[in-house]
Amino acid sequence: MKFNIDDLPVVFPYDRIYPEQWEYMCDLKRTLDASGHCVLEMPSGTGKTVSLLSLIVSYQQFYPTKRKLIYCSRTVPEIEKALAELKRLMAYRIEHAETEEEKENERNFTGLGLTSRKNLCLHPEVSKEKKGRVVDARCRDLTSAAACEKGRANPGSVPLCDWHEGLNELEPGTQLGRGIWTLSDVEQHGREKGLCPYFAIRRMMPFVNVVIYSFHYLLDPKVAEQVSKELSKDSIVVFDEAHNIDNVCIESLSIDLTRPMLDSAARSVSRLGEKIEEIKVTDASKLQDEYAKLVEGLQEADAARDEDAFMSNPVLPDDLLKEAIPGNIRKAEHFVAFLKRFVEYLKTRMRVLHVVAETPLSFLQHLKDITFIERRPLKFCAERLQSLVRTLSLTQLDEYYALQKVASFATLVATYEKVGFLLILEPFETESSTVPNPIFHFTCLDPSLAIKPVFERFSSVVITSGTISPLDMYPKMLQFTPVVQETYAMTLSRNSFLPLIITRGSDQVAISSRFEVRNDPAVVRNFGSILIEYSKIVPDGIVAFFPSYLYMESIVAAWNDMGILNEVWKHKLIFVETPDANETSIALENYRRACDNGRGAILLSVARGKVSEGIDFDHNYGRAVIMFGVPYQYTESRILKARLEYLRDAYRIRESEFLGFDAMRNAAQCVGRVLRGKTDWGLMVFADKRFARSDKRAKLPRWINQYITDTAANLSTDMALVLSKLFMRTISQSSTENQTGISLWTLEDVLKAQEKRKASEIDMGMQAERDEEMDEDEYGDGGLPDEILAEMEVDP
Ligand code: SF4
């Protein structure tokens, strides 16, 4: 259907639209018009992606500025889904364009997605490697500027990648044709034409209208510098499924070093030393050239900072790159000696047997006192290493991985010396361990640091998700001011999901995962009986979530001893999520099989785990989700404690406020897994008395909270079962109600809504005018001049 939002003609690729989709698009348009940022919470399963794409593509096509869309999603399947949606939308737009010229304009619209080499590589041997970083390193050996130069000058002297070579014959911007390319389309095209899909996409990026990739390509400075540097400033940036964006930001600026990593880094440093000695004999001019260039500044030295960069700088801004490299690390052998000293220093620090927490400033001071290493050369460490790797034409770069980490660590610690970071050295893995296994955490405490460049560079950033309540938390944590901040209610002609809060068992004992009572046999038994009873009444799949692996293990062991698992097995099979990704995917596969063949199954999983984040349990794969306990984070973690302290001091976010928010966003994320569309249905059971508290409920997304009735907010197990049975009996009847006009709009309904909106805007405008007049009318005389008032004999 086609309709207008203000002056913008919007093409939506379906005949019907949900009211919340229309509202969402109106708010998006307002954000883009204002060239500002927004936070939007759209209920799960209400077509967020298609609404986003429809509005933004319409915007791009209508206005001559042709702003680029950078759409960030979390996982590869989600990226592929968004690309498929975009492809469908563009096919619809081409089909419904009115003139041939318009059709041609739509056909020229280009969009593609980017993922890692590991997912796209076609090389028969390289693609077999299991680890992403090994694929990257092997690919770099075959495609680095030095290898290509040598291989082309003297064919056969060094191995090159044929798929990469194939690309060089093509003009920039012609590696892929116009139109929308899903990742599998590009892969197939690569196979047919003998072109590398990864580099084809990378080289096409400056020429396309839409790029869809993962958060890291924008937020992680190490990757962003290589991939996203060229993107124009007026691009529209969207972070979809952004409820965990603060954690992604923090991870991208944090580094952990371990003892084995330092040993490996020390070996790499020695190898670098040997290589330098070798090259001094064979080709000393290379080192002299490098030295001369480093005097000019890194930018010059690194003129070839292109797609084959081994590592890029985690933080250095462009202006610093133009500076000369500090004299004491300019010479290759001096730099190697410098690295050696730094690694040795870190090793000595790791010998300490007590926990140390210090600021980067105090770390730098101590480093200087002991080793005379200054902050400035440390800051250039990552870039200097990159230059040396290039000069020495090193291969098998994955072996230098640990050294790369150490260099990034050095650069980060010297750049962020003041606020927002903390160094924590933990000598033992757990409190009870006696054998040291030290970890040096360089941890970022302030998520706004990683996202700051994005807000500064791009005028419109959209932060959106199905569960992003409370909305004001994100602007506070990420330090930005949104122009629109909105959460949408879910319109349904009949409830397709039923949220219930169970606060006590059938024996009236309160249930909770609170530390003091979590292992109380009465609580464990009550949790168990919820599982037994729901396994009896719910068809097909049930997903149960626990706050942590540790807690899940202890509960499952206790359930086994109490005979609860035996009881559950009578009705359904049980599968368990584990920290091992392979084990979990096998469990998931079998869980789905049991749901499909009618045997029915229960999947026991944890909040913040793989299952809770990226896996959908639509239709028969999830008819009920049970959240056992409130998924608070483990508050004894030193990193979390430091972060809480920072949030309190810097942003006035209280500890309890952040922990409550974090627990509820994860709980909402877990229960939201069952509802993936308006035709889907499911039960959402919150089993913990703390969920009934108003402060907790207020943190749930509006679209869930609106359906928690007073009756459903404080139930015992038996009462919850009665309501659940009733709900399932109702939902399994075919609906007699017509959704059209209520939760599904035709074009006519959209037009009506538009009229209504316009009228209310006019009303509001008139009211505002009247208010203004009233403000001016300080004597309450209607603003009439004194002479007239005198004639009218009105007493002012
Ligand atoms: S250039 Fe492409 S195909 Fe060749 S090794 Fe690298 S990623 Fe694989």
Side-chain angles (χ1 to χ4, degrees):
M1 70 166 82
K2 282 186 194 174
F3 51 87
N4 272 34
I5 295 182
D6 306 330
D7 56 337
L8 174 72
V10 178
V11 179
F12 187 75
Y14 298 99
D15 294 340
R16 302 270 197 277
I17 185 170
Y18 297 142
E20 45 274 46
Q21 286 182 310
W22 181 74
E23 276 178 48
Y24 185 78
M25 287 201 251
C26 292
D27 287 336
L28 264 176
K29 157 105 183 9
R30 268 206 292 147
T31 310
L32 300 185
D33 285 347
S35 286
H37 315 311
C38 65
V39 184
L40 304 176
E41 182 178 67
M42 175 83 158
S44 284
T46 44
K48 171 166 39 79
T49 310
V50 68
S51 320
L52 254 170
L53 293 173
S54 298
L55 190 277
I56 297 179
V57 171
S58 300
Y59 204 93
Q60 287 175 294
Q61 291 292 65
F62 183 69
Y63 294 110
T65 42
K66 297 265 172 216
R67 294 165 74 178
K68 203 194 253 307
L69 166 63
I70 307 164
Y71 184 110
C72 303
S73 201
R74 282 174 319 170
T75 60
V76 179
E78 277 165 1
I79 293 172
E80 194 67 341
K81 244 190 330 199
L83 284 166
E85 196 78 72
L86 180 62
K87 200 171 170 178
R88 210 172 309 132
L89 169 68
M90 291 318 294
Y92 185 91
R93 287 185 68 104
I94 294 170
E95 195 189 331
H96 291 82
E98 277 155 22
T99 62
E100 202 38 53
E101 194 189 333
E102 274 177 26
K103 277 191 199 293
E104 195 53 17
N105 187 25
E106 301 294 349
R107 284 193 198 106
N108 284 334
F109 192 90
T110 316
L112 42 78
L114 178 67
T115 173
S116 63
R117 287 179 175 91
K118 183 170 179 322
N119 297 324
L120 291 169
C121 181
L122 293 180
H123 193 285
E125 276 136 42
V126 178
S127 60
K128 275 195 206 123
E129 295 291 350
K130 293 210 168 58
K131 281 190 186 156
R133 72 179 151 93
V134 181
V135 175
D136 287 354
R138 292 206 51 194
C139 171
R140 281 188 190 114
D141 289 351
L142 300 173
T143 58
S144 71
C148 290
E149 200 181 307
K150 214 166 161 189
R152 284 174 204 153
N154 186 6
S157 57
V158 281
L160 296 179
C161 174
D162 293 342
W163 285 266
H164 183 252
E165 291 303 291
L167 280 173
N168 293 332
E169 286 145 29
L170 301 171
E171 289 290 310
T174 59
Q175 287 84 358
L176 296 170
R178 57 190 187 164
I180 309 300
W181 295 81
T182 62
L183 296 173
S184 49
D185 289 343
V186 184
E187 209 183 311
Q188 199 185 336
H189 175 80
R191 276 186 207 286
E192 284 165 11
K193 306 270 178 204
L195 302 174
C196 167
Y198 175 78
F199 284 110
I201 296 171
R202 286 275 303 268
R203 290 183 190 181
M204 279 296 293
M205 277 176 58
F207 305 96
V208 299
N209 305 90
V210 180
V211 181
I212 304 186
Y213 56 26
S214 86
F215 282 27
H216 292 276
Y217 289 112
L218 262 195
L219 293 178
D220 187 339
K222 297 187 274 307
V223 194
E225 220 241 11
Q226 282 181 34
V227 177
S228 310
K229 208 172 156 202
E230 308 297 330
L231 299 173
S232 61
K233 291 188 166 50
D234 66 348
S235 304
I236 300 163
V237 176
V238 173
F239 288 104
D240 194 4
E241 301 298 340
H243 45 273
N244 267 339
I245 194 167
D246 52 320
N247 292 333
V248 180
C249 290
I250 280 181
E251 276 163 28
S252 65
L253 285 180
S254 299
I255 290 185
D256 285 352
L257 294 179
T258 60
R259 187 67 215 215
M261 282 168 86
L262 291 184
D263 291 339
S264 160
R267 284 194 297 275
S268 300
V269 174
S270 312
R271 225 173 305 140
L272 280 181
E274 286 161 20
K275 290 270 177 195
I276 292 170
E277 288 310 314
E278 264 173 42
I279 211 168
K280 265 189 186 167
V281 179
T282 55
D283 194 356
S285 62
K286 264 192 168 180
L287 291 174
Q288 274 149 17
D289 281 356
E290 188 198 29
Y291 183 87
K293 281 180 190 163
L294 291 176
V295 176
E296 308 270 311
L298 274 170
Q299 201 88 50
E300 299 305 314
D302 241 355
R305 292 158 67 84
D306 55 12
E307 54 196 28
D308 71 325
F310 148 66
M311 58 183 287
S312 70
N313 197 288
V315 279
L316 276 197
D318 274 354
D319 45 340
L320 261 187
L321 294 175
K322 292 186 192 101
E323 279 184 37
I325 283 283
N328 58 344
I329 56 167
R330 238 178 261 165
K331 270 199 157 176
E333 52 269 48
H334 291 173
F335 179 56
V336 167
F338 173 90
L339 280 177
K340 208 175 200 167
R341 235 178 330 145
F342 185 58
V343 173
E344 279 312 313
Y345 169 79
L346 290 175
K347 276 189 182 174
T348 336
R349 293 294 310 261
M350 283 219 184
R351 284 195 203 113
V352 177
L353 290 181
H354 57 265
V355 177
V356 179
E358 61 183 338
T359 60
L361 207 58
S362 97
F363 173 86
L364 291 173
Q365 189 57 48
H366 189 258
L367 175 71
K368 193 175 163 192
D369 294 347
I370 305 285
T371 62
F372 303 107
I373 290 179
E374 298 267 354
R375 191 174 73 89
R376 222 174 100 74
L378 212 55
K379 195 165 175 175
F380 285 89
C381 215
E383 283 292 332
R384 179 64 187 94
L385 180 62
Q386 159 84 353
S387 163
L388 184 60
V389 163
R390 212 187 280 281
T391 308
L392 298 179
S393 310
L394 293 182
T395 53
Q396 295 178 340
L397 293 173
D398 53 317
E399 291 173 9
Y400 294 83
Y401 175 73
L403 182 59
Q404 175 197 343
K405 282 257 165 194
V406 171
S408 297
F409 177 92
T411 301
L412 280 170
V413 87
T415 310
Y416 292 109
E417 54 170 340
K418 294 216 171 76
V419 282
F421 285 83
L422 196 67
L423 285 133
I424 301 176
L425 173 70
E426 289 184 316
F428 299 99
E429 225 165 316
T430 58
E431 294 289 329
S432 52
S433 333
T434 48
V435 183
N437 185 13
I439 301 184
F440 213 154
H441 306 278
F442 176 70
T443 174
C444 173
L445 306 172
D446 187 347
S448 72
L449 292 172
I451 206 167
K452 194 169 160 212
V454 177
F455 284 126
E456 276 175 0
R457 186 158 149 215
F458 301 107
S459 52
S460 297
V461 179
V462 177
I463 301 225
T464 185
S465 171
T467 53
I468 202 161
S469 286
L471 296 183
D472 54 352
M473 198 64 165
Y474 291 84
K476 246 201 252 176
M477 277 194 305
L478 302 178
Q479 292 292 294
F480 69 102
T481 318
V483 287
V484 180
Q485 190 171 312
E486 198 57 69
T487 172
Y488 307 90
M490 197 164 180
T491 53
L492 291 168
S493 58
R494 63 174 186 167
N495 289 5
S496 61
F497 67 97
L498 178 68
L500 300 164
I501 299 176
I502 303 183
T503 54
R504 55 201 190 279
S506 304
D507 55 3
Q508 302 305 316
V509 173
I511 52 171
S512 172
S513 65
R514 204 154 52 89
F515 187 73
E516 296 79 7
V517 296
R518 54 167 45 183
N519 291 318
D520 182 334
V523 172
V524 178
R525 184 167 295 110
N526 271 322
F527 275 155
S529 68
I530 292 175
L531 195 68
I532 297 175
E533 295 307 324
Y534 274 93
S535 73
K536 285 183 195 162
I537 63 163
V538 175
D540 304 326
I542 300 178
V543 193
F545 286 100
F546 294 84
S548 68
Y549 283 112
L550 219 61
Y551 186 50
M552 177 167 77
E553 275 168 27
S554 78
I555 289 267
V556 172
W559 281 350
N560 193 32
D561 296 343
M562 291 173 176
I564 287 171
L565 294 186
N566 283 336
E567 201 51 41
V568 175
W569 266 314
K570 288 183 191 158
H571 308 283
K572 290 197 189 300
L573 296 180
I574 302 177
F575 298 94
V576 185
E577 177 186 6
T578 68
D580 183 300
N582 279 342
E583 271 177 17
T584 303
S585 44
I586 296 171
L588 257 172
E589 204 183 307
N590 288 321
Y591 168 80
R592 287 184 195 278
R593 198 177 302 161
C595 293
D596 284 336
N597 69 18
R599 176 68 175 85
I602 294 177
L603 182 67
L604 304 179
S605 7
V606 291
R608 299 185 185 80
K610 186 169 173 262
V611 169
S612 72
E613 272 295 320
I615 316 257
D616 291 345
F617 295 97
D618 50 343
H619 298 100
N620 63 328
Y621 299 127
R623 287 303 181 202
V625 58
I626 309 172
M627 184 74 240
F628 286 116
V630 183
Y632 278 113
Q633 286 194 57
Y634 174 61
T635 41
E636 289 310 301
S637 141
R638 289 188 183 89
I639 296 178
L640 177 63
K641 277 186 181 165
R643 189 176 167 193
L644 290 174
E645 211 169 288
Y646 183 81
L647 286 176
R648 192 190 56 216
D649 296 346
Y651 300 135
R652 301 188 187 288
I653 299 174
R654 279 175 294 116
E655 289 176 15
S656 56
E657 190 185 346
F658 177 78
L659 289 173
F661 146 77
D662 183 63
M664 293 312 285
R665 71 168 155 181
N666 279 291
Q669 194 55 32
C670 293
V671 296
R673 300 286 95 205
V674 285
L675 202 72
R676 308 318 293 171
K678 280 193 177 178
T679 53
D680 199 1
W681 63 265
L683 291 158
M684 297 176 175
V685 181
F686 295 91
D688 192 307
K689 70 170 188 184
R690 289 171 295 173
F691 282 121
R693 285 190 358 212
S694 56
D695 63 322
K696 293 273 172 306
R697 279 183 50 193
K699 291 190 176 85
L700 278 175
R702 178 174 162 204
W703 61 274
I704 298 183
N705 214 357
Q706 80 182 116
Y707 288 105
I708 305 184
T709 55
D710 284 343
T711 347
N714 184 7
L715 298 165
S716 61
T717 308
D718 44 359
M719 286 157 69
L721 285 167
V722 172
L723 290 182
S724 303
K725 281 185 206 161
L726 191 69
F727 167 75
M728 284 190 288
R729 213 173 301 141
T730 326
I731 201 81
S732 54
Q733 313 291 319
S734 57
S735 170
T736 48
E737 286 152 72
N738 189 355
Q739 303 237 338
T740 312
I742 309 167
S743 65
L744 209 52
W745 281 358
T746 57
L747 183 58
E748 249 171 49
D749 295 312
V750 173
L751 296 178
K752 259 191 248 162
Q754 254 162 356
E755 287 300 314
K756 217 165 136 191
R757 179 179 281 239
K758 235 180 246 163
S760 81
E761 271 169 10
I762 293 171
D763 271 0
M764 271 160 57
M766 280 165 59
Q767 184 61 39
E769 247 170 55
R770 250 179 266 136
D771 290 350
E772 222 168 84
E773 275 168 20
M774 289 293 280
D775 285 347
E776 282 167 13
D777 185 10
E778 54 187 311
Y779 300 110
D781 56 7
L784 292 174
D786 290 347
E787 315 81 76
I788 299 182
L789 283 172
E791 270 174 34
M792 288 166 71
E793 293 181 15
V794 176
D795 182 7

